[in-house]
Amino acid sequence: METGAEPGKEPAEEPTVKSAAEPGKASGPTGAHPATTSDSASGTGCADTGPVDRVSGDEPLLAARVHRPSDLLRLLTGILAIALVLAISAFAHGTTSGLEQDINNGTGQAPDLVIKLTGLFSSIAILILPVGFAIERLVKRDGLRIADGVLAAVLAHGVALATDLWVTRAAPRSITDALTHPMTNGNLTDPVHGYLAPVIAYMTAVGMARRPRWRVALWVVLLVNSFAVLVGGQTTPFSIVVTILLGWTVAYGTLYAVGSPNVRPTGRQLLAGLRQVGFNPVTAMRAGDLPDSAEQGDRGRRYFVTLEDGAPLDVTVVDREQQAQGFFYRAWRRLTLRSISTGRSIQSLRQALEQEALLAYAAIAAGANAPKLIATSELGPDAVMLVYEHTGGHPLDSLPDAEITDELMRNAWRQVQSLQSRRIAHRRLVGHAILVDQAGAVILTELRGGEIAASDLVLRMDIAQLLTTLGLRAGAERSVAAAVAVLGPDAVADSLPLLQPLALSRSTRSTLRQLARERSEREREAVIAASDAARQAKAEAHGAADDSRRAARADKKAEKVAIDDAMGGVREEDLLSQIRHQVLLIRPQAHAEPVRLERVKLRTLLSVIAGAIAAYFLLSQMANIPFHQLLTNTQWGWMAGAVLFSALSYVAAAMSLLGFVPEKVPFFRTVLAQVAGSFVKLVAPAAVGGVALNTRFLQRAGVRPGLAVASVGASQLFGLASHITLLAIFGYVTGTERTPSLTPSRTVIAGLLAAAVLALVITAVPFLRKFIVTRVRSLFAGVVPRMLDVLQQPRKLLTGIGGMLLLTGTFVMCLDASIRAFGEGNNLSYASIAVVFLTANAVGSAVPTPGGVGAVEASLTGALVIAGLPYATAAAAVLLFRLLTFWLPVLPGWLCFNYLTRRGEL
């Protein structure tokens, strides 16, 4: 085995294995033994020659670099560690000061000359050691690692400079005190050592941890230098810790970004490893070269190996990189799913080897038809191999539909029955894990992800998975019939609660999503065709002159009937519903309600994050307000009025929505949906969350999806128009109320001119014009036909417009009452307050933060200060206004959201 080859690439040797179609060569994984060349030119079969490594000539080259999930995990760990150190230094100022004082007292007796000489020699050694290591690596032709180290050092130096600038100019005082130390000349020491961080980044990126002598030498020098500068009063303990963490973090960030050199074992190393365990291999062909292979990264690299004597072998090579693939997905599944063992997220190669070997032996002992494991071995420190008897066969995914017979499916279920009789779960019963040999026998592979002593839940998940896998190929009816014939109706019926996407494999869920998209596309095309046919029939029946209202209503009804008929003709059930229906035909009393598998939903996690952000902003706003002084002058009557106006805003919001919905929707439930929108604002931008929630509510209330979207779009369109109109009117009034004439102020003119210039820029730039048109078209698609329906009910339209005006009025009155609650509202007119609110509301809708957090508060406070309020009063009034309209309604919004969700109305 050669060791001088470049990592990640096969040695450039003469290929000895040609295509499988040539005489005397490998014929593929169908069970036939590939013949080997025995002439003297080939070098095989000759007694006087040593073993020659022979790998497939067209074996795919390994990638020169790989992006390791472990590097990303270390990067995130380093960032969290730095944040934790800074937080400790900020909130434990007394502890950090005491620690520095103890160090100074303990080292104050050290001779100054010794400290300076130690610092000098260690500083020189810090520069010499990395250079010496670089020369040693270059001599051994490993320049790529040195390049990685240099890049990491440069980035670490830049990050150190940026950190120094932030700490000295913008960081809180406590952090500055913890990371710096005043010197005799009045200046501060560097918060981060500009020479230590690059050296640590370099040392980590070049992989010096694998070379103990260099590593020990460099760490000794680093520790001595750190001690010297610490004792000499040139740094602080927290500064040293942050420097080490920063260099370490930047190094792993660099390695993940550019990739690490690939050290995966090659085909030649595999053949050498086989000889070490007693085999005499002749050739090895990558499974990726063979037809019908379903190579996937997390399954390991597979080889078809021929021997000098005996049957061929199937060898699987698993290395650290392949084992780490899917780490974050497995970690997320382990976090969010309950009662399901998903395997360790971080598992050593030895543990992976032992688990697969255990599952292979257990499956055969259970009577299942599985590959027979005959040897295992390590291939160096970063890979292992598992040697199986050659099984042959083709994956189920590669078989034509005609070859998937009922007997074949029953054979697959018999293998699963054998596993489940010993409580063994396969956990990966997808198409590429089921092989079919030439005799039609089914072989279960991919056992490395299985479990022994599995729970009932996991065993039922296997049944649900295989029902779906076979249903994708043979249909729901045949899949269920084969399962019932082998397992019995009760066992199949017990799997119904697990027949849900969350319990299926990742590839199966992807396939089901693709089928759903294709099904939706067919339905959309059918609706478009039916609508076009109805319009054409209308034109032929009535002609261009007949446009009476009665004829229009009749034509519209006929078009709706045609669309409904078309939808009914092409509507298809998804596969899981079909399987569920077939099982219920056999066992009508079976419990089909899905089991809740999620421990933590993504929505819950986002809610927690949003709540933390909300608490941070709330506390930061409250920190600088003199509450004691303001509370003594608070007028509680106006505060009660602000609460009342805030509550009335939800009634107004319900009116503004229902005014554009011709269908009958319960008013009280609509009010509850608007209250629930207060909770949704925490996890979505203000302009997005309400639209999605109202659309969902109308659909659940019986409004067709397209009409629900159109109704919400019409409401949004009229809301935008009323917002602009009111802003212009109140802006004009505000600009003229202090002047004797009716001429608008310069501010109003400047605002109108700025809006006109912005509109011209958007229409002149093609990219911006296309962006705006696309977004507006998607939002307001179908609004015009929907408005025609609303115009036929004038009472509805008046309700919608009145609700919008009332909604704006309640918010303006709530803000006015919040200002008057602190005794400073008499000098501001309602028109001025309306302009302040409408402007801040527009800013909050444009900013992509939950509820416009930050932007609304800043714009409201700034506008009120400009209008003439003192900052403390303006900030307190805005805080009260946002508490009543955004923060406090979150809890009742959450209650309403859960209530409507449980009732199926959201």
Side-chain angles (χ1 to χ4, degrees):
M1 182 175 63
E2 298 182 7
T3 60
E6 183 180 350
K9 301 216 176 161
E10 297 287 359
E13 299 290 338
E14 291 293 330
T16 60
V17 177
K18 300 181 181 178
S19 65
E22 295 186 18
K25 306 303 177 189
S27 59
T30 58
H33 296 184
T36 58
T37 307
S38 59
D39 54 79
S40 59
S42 65
T44 60
C46 298
D48 57 345
T49 61
V52 179
D53 294 340
R54 305 190 170 218
V55 295
S56 170
D58 54 351
E59 178 180 8
L61 293 177
L62 299 178
R65 288 180 173 270
V66 292
H67 300 277
R68 298 177 178 175
S70 57
D71 292 338
L72 178 59
L73 183 62
R74 292 187 180 98
L75 168 64
L76 298 177
T77 302
I79 294 174
L80 291 177
I82 293 174
L84 179 61
V85 171
L86 294 178
I88 293 175
S89 64
F91 295 104
H93 180 66
T95 303
T96 59
S97 301
L99 180 62
E100 292 182 23
Q101 186 176 0
D102 292 341
I103 293 176
N104 293 332
N105 294 335
T107 59
Q109 304 300 323
D112 186 64
L113 179 61
V114 174
I115 295 175
K116 290 183 178 180
L117 290 177
T118 302
L120 176 63
F121 287 117
S122 60
S123 300
I124 296 174
I126 283 178
L127 299 178
I128 292 178
L129 281 176
V131 174
F133 183 77
I135 295 174
E136 188 260 348
R137 287 290 91 197
L138 291 175
V139 170
K140 293 186 177 182
R141 298 182 179 181
D142 195 8
L144 288 177
R145 290 186 181 274
I146 302 302
D148 294 342
V150 172
L151 177 60
V154 171
L155 293 177
H157 184 67
V159 174
L161 292 178
T163 305
D164 287 347
L165 186 64
W166 172 73
V167 170
T168 55
R169 296 190 178 183
R173 181 68 180 177
S174 56
I175 294 180
T176 304
D177 293 340
L179 298 181
T180 59
H181 185 77
M183 295 186 296
T184 56
N185 58 3
N187 296 329
L188 296 176
T189 59
D190 291 335
V192 177
H193 294 275
Y195 66 93
L196 279 183
V199 171
I200 294 172
Y202 172 87
M203 177 184 68
T204 307
V206 298
M208 200 175 287
R210 299 185 180 91
R211 292 156 180 87
R213 295 181 180 178
W214 287 98
R215 180 189 61 195
V216 171
L218 191 55
W219 272 114
V220 168
V221 172
L222 284 174
L223 291 176
V224 171
N225 182 265
S226 300
F227 178 77
V229 295
L230 183 62
V231 172
Q234 301 175 19
T235 187
T236 65
F238 279 95
S239 176
I240 294 176
V241 174
V242 170
T243 299
I244 294 174
L245 289 175
L246 189 145
W248 188 76
T249 303
V250 171
Y252 282 113
T254 304
L255 289 178
Y256 185 77
V258 303
S260 302
N262 198 342
V263 293
R264 292 181 177 180
T266 63
R268 285 186 172 278
Q269 293 170 327
L270 167 66
L271 296 179
L274 286 172
R275 293 192 185 96
Q276 292 179 358
V277 293
F279 296 101
N280 296 313
V282 177
T283 62
M285 180 180 291
R286 273 283 298 274
D289 302 332
L290 300 173
D292 303 325
S293 68
E295 176 85 349
Q296 289 191 3
D298 60 345
R299 300 168 59 199
R301 285 183 289 131
R302 296 183 170 191
Y303 289 86
F304 175 75
V305 179
T306 59
L307 305 177
E308 290 184 1
D309 52 355
L313 305 173
D314 290 330
V315 182
T316 300
V317 177
V318 181
D319 55 52
R320 294 189 186 277
E321 303 310 321
Q322 290 168 327
Q323 185 208 11
Q325 287 186 2
F327 164 77
F328 293 103
Y329 173 75
R330 292 194 300 271
W332 174 253
R333 295 271 290 183
R334 192 175 183 86
L335 173 67
T336 57
L337 299 187
R338 59 183 181 182
S339 304
I340 299 177
S341 176
T342 58
R344 293 187 178 185
S345 300
I346 302 178
Q347 191 179 44
S348 67
L349 282 173
R350 169 65 64 178
Q351 291 170 334
L353 178 69
E354 293 172 351
Q355 180 183 4
E356 185 163 352
L358 175 63
L359 265 297
Y361 293 140
I364 294 177
N369 195 8
K372 183 178 180 181
L373 181 66
I374 57 178
T376 59
S377 179
E378 293 183 350
L379 291 179
D382 297 318
V384 296
M385 70 174 180
L386 298 101
V387 184
Y388 293 92
E389 289 184 352
H390 179 61
T391 57
H394 301 273
L396 183 70
D397 286 341
S398 66
L399 294 179
D401 293 341
E403 296 185 15
I404 302 179
T405 62
D406 294 339
E407 181 61 27
L408 186 150
M409 291 190 291
R410 286 193 290 269
N411 286 339
W413 283 111
R414 292 188 187 101
Q415 304 308 314
V416 174
Q417 185 184 38
S418 299
L419 292 179
Q420 299 211 345
S421 66
R422 302 294 178 86
R423 304 198 69 82
I424 300 174
H426 188 284
R427 300 301 306 275
R428 198 179 292 188
L429 288 170
V430 292
H432 60 72
I434 303 173
L435 297 183
V436 182
D437 64 12
Q438 292 179 337
V442 174
I443 305 168
L444 297 182
T445 63
E446 303 296 336
L447 290 166
R448 62 178 300 190
E451 294 182 21
I452 61 172
S455 64
D456 290 336
L457 185 69
V458 177
L459 295 177
R460 290 155 60 196
M461 287 177 63
D462 266 2
I463 298 176
Q465 175 64 60
L466 189 56
L467 280 172
T468 308
T469 299
L470 297 178
L472 288 171
R473 297 303 313 275
E477 184 176 358
R478 293 178 59 196
S479 175
V480 173
V484 171
V486 176
L487 302 180
D490 293 333
V492 177
D494 288 341
S495 69
L496 281 186
L498 278 303
L499 203 64
Q500 51 180 302
L502 196 61
L504 304 178
S505 68
R506 197 175 188 177
S507 60
T508 302
R509 295 199 304 270
S510 177
T511 303
L512 292 176
R513 284 194 297 267
Q514 178 63 29
L515 293 176
R517 287 192 292 267
E518 295 175 357
R519 188 166 57 249
S520 299
E521 182 64 22
R522 289 193 296 269
E523 293 178 357
R524 189 181 71 85
E525 292 176 354
V527 169
I528 293 175
S531 179
D532 293 341
R535 290 193 185 96
Q536 184 176 2
K538 168 190 171 182
E540 294 176 354
H542 299 288
D546 189 359
D547 58 352
S548 63
R549 181 175 297 180
R550 180 178 299 177
R553 285 198 296 266
D555 292 335
K556 183 177 180 180
K557 182 177 180 180
E559 182 179 354
K560 181 178 179 181
V561 171
I563 292 175
D564 291 339
D565 292 341
M567 286 287 294
V570 299
R571 184 175 286 113
E572 308 172 25
E573 279 189 322
D574 62 278
L575 178 63
L576 298 184
S577 298
Q578 295 177 27
I579 295 175
R580 196 175 292 110
H581 177 70
Q582 292 296 325
V583 175
L584 291 176
L585 289 177
I586 300 171
R587 279 288 186 271
Q589 71 275 15
H591 180 69
E593 186 69 21
V595 174
R596 183 179 176 183
L597 300 176
E598 289 179 308
R599 178 186 291 116
V600 179
K601 293 185 178 181
L602 181 61
R603 183 174 61 193
T604 304
L605 184 60
L606 292 177
S607 301
V608 172
I609 296 174
I613 296 174
Y616 170 78
F617 277 102
L618 183 61
L619 293 176
S620 63
Q621 292 173 22
M622 295 171 61
N624 299 321
I625 299 177
F627 284 103
H628 177 72
Q629 179 181 356
L630 291 172
L631 289 177
T632 56
N633 299 323
T634 299
Q635 300 184 26
W636 298 101
W638 282 111
M639 186 173 291
V643 173
L644 177 62
F645 288 126
S646 175
L648 287 177
S649 66
Y650 297 102
V651 178
M655 293 173 57
S656 66
L657 175 64
L658 295 181
F660 298 93
V661 182
E663 293 82 4
K664 187 176 181 180
V665 179
F667 181 78
F668 180 70
R669 297 291 169 79
T670 308
V671 174
L672 293 182
Q674 306 313 303
V675 178
S678 301
F679 169 71
V680 177
K681 290 179 183 178
L682 274 179
V683 294
V688 177
V691 173
L693 184 137
N694 286 328
T695 303
R696 178 72 172 175
F697 171 74
L698 292 179
Q699 292 178 10
R700 288 294 188 177
V703 182
R704 289 173 51 189
L707 299 180
V709 174
S711 294
V712 176
S715 176
Q716 292 291 314
L717 180 61
F718 267 78
L720 177 62
S722 65
H723 191 100
I724 295 174
T725 303
L726 291 175
L727 183 59
I729 293 174
F730 285 119
Y732 182 86
V733 173
T734 303
T736 58
E737 62 184 3
R738 296 184 180 180
T739 61
S741 63
L742 293 179
T743 57
S745 66
R746 294 181 178 180
T747 304
V748 175
I749 296 176
L752 294 176
L753 291 177
V757 170
L758 180 61
L760 290 176
V761 170
I762 292 176
T763 55
V765 179
F767 170 76
L768 294 176
R769 183 174 64 250
K770 183 178 179 181
F771 178 82
I772 296 297
V773 169
T774 303
R775 296 304 185 274
V776 173
R777 182 181 299 169
S778 61
L779 179 62
F780 300 118
V783 169
V784 175
R786 192 60 165 168
M787 288 307 305
L788 295 178
D789 296 337
V790 174
L791 289 175
Q792 297 177 9
Q793 303 180 31
R795 183 178 300 176
K796 280 278 187 179
L797 184 60
L798 291 176
T799 301
I801 297 176
M804 289 178 182
L805 297 177
L806 180 62
L807 180 62
T808 303
T810 54
F811 279 127
V812 171
M813 295 301 294
C814 181
L815 180 58
D816 178 71
S818 300
I819 297 172
R820 294 176 185 274
F822 297 102
E824 295 288 345
N826 295 328
N827 60 340
L828 291 182
S829 66
Y830 289 111
S832 300
I833 297 175
V835 170
V836 168
F837 165 74
L838 292 171
T839 304
N841 192 41
V843 172
S845 299
V847 174
T849 58
V853 171
V856 173
E857 288 82 357
S859 57
L860 279 175
T861 305
L864 289 176
V865 170
I866 294 175
L869 282 182
Y871 173 78
T873 303
V878 170
L879 177 60
L880 176 61
F881 174 76
R882 290 290 281 173
L883 279 174
L884 297 177
T885 60
F886 183 75
W887 299 113
L888 294 182
V890 169
L891 179 58
W894 177 73
L895 296 175
C896 292
F897 186 86
N898 287 333
Y899 172 77
L900 295 176
T901 302
R902 286 195 303 268
R903 294 183 59 89
E905 298 181 7
L906 277 182

